[in-house]
Amino acid sequence: MAADAAAAVPADDHDSPWKEALELFFRQAIELLAHALYQVIDWSVAPQFLDKELQALGVPDGPPGHGRLHADKLVRVRHKDGADAWILVHVEVQGGGMGARALSRIAQRMYRYRTRIEHRHEGLNARAGRAPPALFSLAILVASRSGPERLEYRREFLGQGVYFSFHAVHLSQWLGRWSELESLARTNPFAVVIMAQLQALRYRTGAQRLEPTVSLVRLLYGYGYDREHIQPLLRLIEWMLRLPAQQEPAYLAAVERLEQERKMSYVTIAERLYTQRGVEKGRTEGQADLLLRQIQRRFGAVDAAIEQRIRAAGADDLEAWSLNFVDATTLDEIFRS
């Protein structure tokens, strides 16, 4: 019983990391998962994420057992055809089993989204005297190992009805093409996200996850990404491959060895786990000491006023500042609200 408790891992939260991953690496995700779409987008114009609009459409998640919804995104991108040509990309990331009934429900849900998105934008653009944007629907089926690249929704009666097809990615097919995925990850950071998700599916208990997580971090460090990519990718790996608290020290020690071998300075990402644990235990003094060491390592010695502010802070502020530190490029950014 004690061994089982030590190996227990908190329930995985894949909703949030998928949403963050798509926002951070949308271009790379489309390049890897929907290359035909990638080729017609003008990437000089930044994608616009329409999360509030998507939520307002009011499409229900579906009945129990249809597979867990990891993320939904609606993204507006520019078409290469010109300044007034736009594409709306609806992405759904779906977990759970992918039997015939589940696929049928997913297809119905994608169809409902498409009709509501089209109806909304036909009205908006008609009032503005513009043609409505094109719409591309993409379903990412996390646990599916194989299946057609296009899924269909049909509804017919007496020769009348509707037909809708959309692009589907069976993400777990990469389990059988792991070497290819590793190679793609050298130039496409979204491949690293896929690797983390697949390892989370393959290794579901804490006792199994330590070595796969460290191996994935080792690969990531070997790809030569800059800090701008390394930091969010490490955060996503740790988020998707959650380890039990008992294994965090071994993970941190392994990451520190990797960083020493490669003479890299990303240890602060691993230290973040110590930071979070310290807050949870109410050890504000140790938390303040750690944050000061992190700041001094990156920005040099701090003045007495900053040190006093940190040592006088409560647990909530220290947690927020420690998380801000991960991406901060100036001292002021650490203390932003």
Side-chain angles (χ1 to χ4, degrees):
M1 181 71 71
D4 291 342
V9 63
D12 288 329
D13 168 21
H14 288 150
D15 303 40
S16 301
W18 265 102
K19 290 175 181 175
E20 180 169 325
L22 287 170
E23 290 192 7
L24 289 170
F25 303 113
F26 183 74
R27 175 175 180 171
Q28 294 90 338
I30 297 302
E31 181 181 16
L32 187 59
L33 304 179
H35 195 69
L37 173 63
Y38 174 83
Q39 291 179 309
V40 301
I41 293 175
D42 178 1
W43 293 106
S44 68
V45 179
Q48 180 183 4
F49 292 88
L50 307 176
D51 288 3
K52 291 183 178 179
E53 178 176 325
L54 191 67
Q55 294 167 7
L57 294 175
V59 176
D61 286 348
H66 80 297
R68 184 178 181 186
L69 178 66
H70 283 341
D72 254 338
K73 284 290 180 186
L74 182 62
V75 190
R76 187 173 184 253
V77 292
R78 174 76 61 79
H79 196 293
K80 284 182 176 179
D81 281 353
D84 293 327
W86 295 92
I87 306 168
L88 293 173
V89 184
H90 171 225
V91 183
E92 177 169 315
V93 185
Q94 189 80 41
M98 288 296 118
R101 182 175 296 181
L103 290 176
S104 176
R105 288 171 175 161
I106 291 168
Q108 183 182 50
R109 175 180 166 85
M110 297 293 286
Y111 171 72
R112 286 177 177 173
Y113 259 122
R114 186 177 187 94
T115 56
R116 296 190 187 189
I117 293 169
E118 286 180 334
H119 177 73
R120 173 178 173 79
H121 282 270
E122 283 172 359
L124 290 173
N125 285 272
R127 288 192 292 272
R130 299 188 301 261
L135 178 57
F136 187 93
S137 301
L138 170 63
I140 302 173
L141 310 179
V142 172
S144 180
R145 289 176 174 263
S146 63
E149 291 186 358
R150 302 194 68 79
L151 296 181
E152 300 177 350
Y153 174 75
R154 293 177 180 269
R155 193 169 181 182
E156 296 179 339
F157 177 71
L158 295 178
Q160 301 179 19
V162 296
Y163 168 76
F164 164 58
S165 67
F166 58 97
H167 188 65
V169 174
H170 302 270
L171 201 71
S172 288
Q173 67 175 307
W174 291 104
L175 286 169
R177 300 160 56 190
W178 194 261
S179 296
E180 182 183 350
L181 191 58
E182 286 186 1
S183 180
L184 288 167
R186 295 182 181 278
T187 55
N188 189 321
F190 199 79
V192 178
V193 176
I194 294 176
M195 292 163 74
Q197 172 67 85
L198 295 182
Q199 293 293 60
L201 289 176
R202 182 187 287 174
Y203 304 101
R204 295 183 178 275
T205 66
Q208 298 175 311
R209 283 186 172 180
L210 178 59
E211 179 53 36
T213 305
V214 174
S215 296
L216 188 50
V217 173
R218 183 182 295 110
L219 283 173
L220 175 61
Y221 282 8
Y223 290 145
Y225 288 122
D226 56 22
R227 179 181 291 274
E228 182 181 356
H229 288 93
I230 285 276
Q231 289 185 329
L233 286 171
L234 274 175
R235 184 169 65 251
L236 289 166
I237 289 171
E238 293 169 2
W239 206 345
M240 287 183 163
L241 280 162
R242 295 187 64 184
L243 294 171
Q246 294 86 346
Q247 291 200 352
E248 286 179 9
Y251 166 73
L252 296 172
V255 171
E256 186 173 0
R257 287 194 297 271
L258 288 174
E259 291 169 348
Q260 290 173 349
E261 291 170 6
R262 296 183 176 276
K263 296 181 173 58
M264 303 175 79
S265 59
Y266 300 119
V267 69
T268 54
I269 302 297
E271 287 175 349
R272 179 171 54 80
L273 295 177
Y274 276 136
T275 296
Q276 292 168 340
R277 290 174 61 193
V279 170
E280 291 167 1
K281 295 178 181 179
R283 299 187 305 216
T284 55
E285 182 178 346
Q287 178 72 0
D289 286 338
L290 177 57
L291 180 58
L292 281 168
R293 289 199 303 272
Q294 291 174 316
I295 291 173
Q296 290 166 354
R297 179 171 181 171
R298 184 177 297 177
F299 300 108
V302 299
D303 61 33
I306 290 178
E307 181 173 354
Q308 182 179 0
R309 181 180 182 184
I310 291 173
R311 294 198 180 281
D316 289 343
D317 283 338
L318 288 171
E319 180 182 28
W321 297 343
S322 297
L323 293 175
N324 288 346
F325 174 82
V326 173
D327 299 314
T329 58
T330 67
L331 277 173
D332 288 340
E333 290 177 359
I334 295 173
F335 302 105
R336 67 181 186 268
S337 59

